[in-house]
Amino acid sequence: MYGRYEEVQMLLQKVAIYPFILFCLINLALYFLQIKIDDSEVTSYQEAGPALLLSKFGIEMLRVKFPLVTGYNTFAALVGLVFLLQVLITIFNPFSLVKIFCCTVLLCTLVPIDSRVSIFVPLIIICLTFIFKKISSPFICNLYSTVPYIYFIFPIMLVSIFPLLTGNIADVQREDDSEFIRFTIWAISLKVFAAFDIYHLIGYGEFGHYGSNASKQWASIFTSWTNNNLITTHNSVFSILFDMGYIGLIIFIKLNFEITSKVRKYFPVLREVAFIVGGIVLFCSIVGSTESLIGFYFPNFLMYFFFVIVAFFQVLSILKEKKVYNSHI
């Protein structure tokens, strides 16, 4: 931690990525050996649907739930985050066969799960990074201040644009129409908060969507799930509102502004670090618009996200004290 700032990325490579690569390799090996581990009675079970993305390339198979993880989107969001982190580190550091191998393992793990948002969002952020990393305009730096608003803007964009692209908004009860199911859940959630209740200030506690009886209204959509009345809102903002109320949402948004504010401050002198941290926060905001990433519904993602953020800023704080870079930050 007391080395040069380039070693910040290498620290994360060793403590946050290599162990996860090993975990993915074990899961891939168990899957190909067809070794299955029974689900716990307390985990929510869902029958495997078709892998829609692979079917576009003529590969017909069911979505893969790896033996050592529960669920599909929960694990996919975490793999997508680690994949993004690995690629961004690779972009701003010398290429190596080890890094390419890590990217390949993560991609081979991510694609069979068939969580499209966790696949496409990292690719979009990677493309944007390639485009903007050579541009020194303050405009790029100021873009980070808009990231917290994505939690609100992106769902509105999906609701507005997706039906136009598909040309079909009927049959929202089909479980393979995952986008339309989300729209139904969000509409129910919005209706709950349209009629003010004192609980809306502080929330209903963990699994607030169940405590408010909201999730019971969309339980019938998830016929293949056990405990289908516990299915989350598939949106971080609504999950926070149900669990922690308006006060919790204000704190959460303020936290996001604090992180993006630091990214903007680091940008003029530590562009590589700013791009990596900014990309991670951007990933969380976009994927968090379609999944309940905040709260302990996705505890693996939540802990990993904050581990990486804290590791970055802790090391950078030490480097600032050692005056490794400009002291005005």
Side-chain angles (χ1 to χ4, degrees):
M1 290 195 304
Y2 289 87
R4 295 182 304 144
Y5 78 86
E6 288 89 353
E7 295 178 5
V8 177
Q9 294 97 305
M10 293 312 300
L11 173 69
L12 286 175
Q13 183 82 48
K14 294 177 181 178
V15 302
I17 295 180
Y18 289 160
F20 194 78
I21 294 298
L22 178 60
F23 180 68
C24 289
L25 286 171
I26 294 172
N27 270 289
L28 286 167
L30 292 175
Y31 171 73
F32 284 113
L33 293 173
Q34 297 185 342
I35 298 175
K36 297 182 179 180
I37 298 175
D38 292 335
D39 284 333
S40 165
E41 292 182 1
V42 298
T43 55
S44 183
Y45 172 73
Q46 180 193 18
E47 293 180 0
L52 300 179
L53 183 62
L54 290 174
S55 67
K56 303 296 183 182
F57 299 92
I59 302 175
E60 300 296 334
M61 60 179 291
L62 297 177
R63 299 180 70 186
V64 173
K65 186 171 89 62
F66 289 100
L68 299 181
V69 300
T70 58
Y72 298 91
N73 295 338
T74 49
F75 187 50
L78 179 55
V79 179
L81 177 67
V82 182
F83 173 69
L84 174 63
L85 177 61
Q86 176 65 84
V87 174
L88 292 179
I89 289 176
T90 304
I91 290 174
F92 293 108
N93 289 272
F95 282 89
S96 70
L97 292 178
V98 173
K99 292 174 185 174
I100 300 301
F101 174 76
C102 290
C103 291
T104 303
V105 171
L106 291 166
L107 199 57
C108 290
T109 303
L110 183 60
V111 171
I113 304 174
D114 197 52
S115 176
R116 283 154 287 176
V117 67
S118 297
I119 296 173
F120 290 124
V121 171
L123 296 179
I124 292 172
I125 296 174
I126 291 165
C127 291
L128 291 175
T129 302
F130 270 112
I131 294 172
F132 292 138
K133 72 186 184 82
K134 297 295 185 180
I135 301 176
S136 59
S137 170
F139 172 74
I140 306 301
C141 179
N142 292 333
L143 282 177
Y144 288 116
S145 61
T146 66
V147 171
Y149 297 110
I150 292 176
Y151 283 99
F152 305 95
I153 297 173
F154 192 73
I156 296 174
M157 290 176 56
L158 279 179
V159 172
S160 303
I161 297 175
F162 192 82
L164 298 176
L165 297 176
T166 60
N168 171 30
I169 60 173
D171 196 15
V172 296
Q173 302 301 314
R174 287 176 50 198
E175 293 192 38
D176 56 343
D177 292 335
S178 57
E179 290 80 9
F180 293 130
I181 290 175
R182 284 174 170 80
F183 300 163
T184 303
I185 294 174
W186 298 345
I188 295 172
S189 301
L190 194 61
K191 184 178 179 180
V192 170
F193 286 95
F196 179 76
D197 189 291
I198 191 64
Y199 282 104
H200 296 169
L201 290 176
I202 59 174
Y204 297 86
E206 197 74 6
F207 282 89
H209 54 285
Y210 176 79
S212 66
N213 294 320
S215 62
K216 297 177 183 178
Q217 300 181 50
W218 61 69
S220 60
I221 301 176
F222 299 92
T223 55
S224 65
W225 286 76
T226 57
N227 300 320
N228 57 348
N229 58 347
L230 300 180
I231 299 299
T232 66
T233 61
H234 288 75
N235 179 274
S236 292
V237 169
F238 279 129
S239 288
I240 292 171
L241 285 174
F242 277 117
D243 292 0
M244 296 172 279
Y246 292 115
I247 295 176
L249 182 61
I250 291 172
I251 294 172
F252 172 70
I253 296 301
K254 186 177 186 303
L255 174 63
N256 274 268
F257 275 115
E258 288 289 335
I259 296 174
T260 54
S261 174
K262 285 186 176 293
V263 171
R264 291 174 63 195
K265 289 180 180 179
Y266 288 129
F267 190 83
V269 290
L270 294 175
R271 287 172 58 87
E272 295 88 349
V273 174
F275 268 117
I276 294 173
V277 179
I280 293 171
V281 177
L282 181 59
F283 175 90
C284 190
S285 63
I286 298 178
V287 178
S289 300
T290 62
E291 300 292 348
S292 299
L293 295 183
I294 304 303
F296 285 94
Y297 308 110
F298 284 20
N300 49 7
F301 180 92
L302 185 70
M303 289 185 284
Y304 193 94
F305 171 76
F306 279 111
F307 170 78
V308 171
I309 294 297
V310 169
F312 265 120
F313 290 130
Q314 176 63 21
V315 173
L316 293 173
S317 177
I318 293 172
L319 297 180
K320 178 181 177 181
E321 293 177 5
K322 292 174 67 66
K323 299 180 180 180
V324 175
Y325 55 88
N326 293 2
S327 59
H328 75 274
I329 290 183

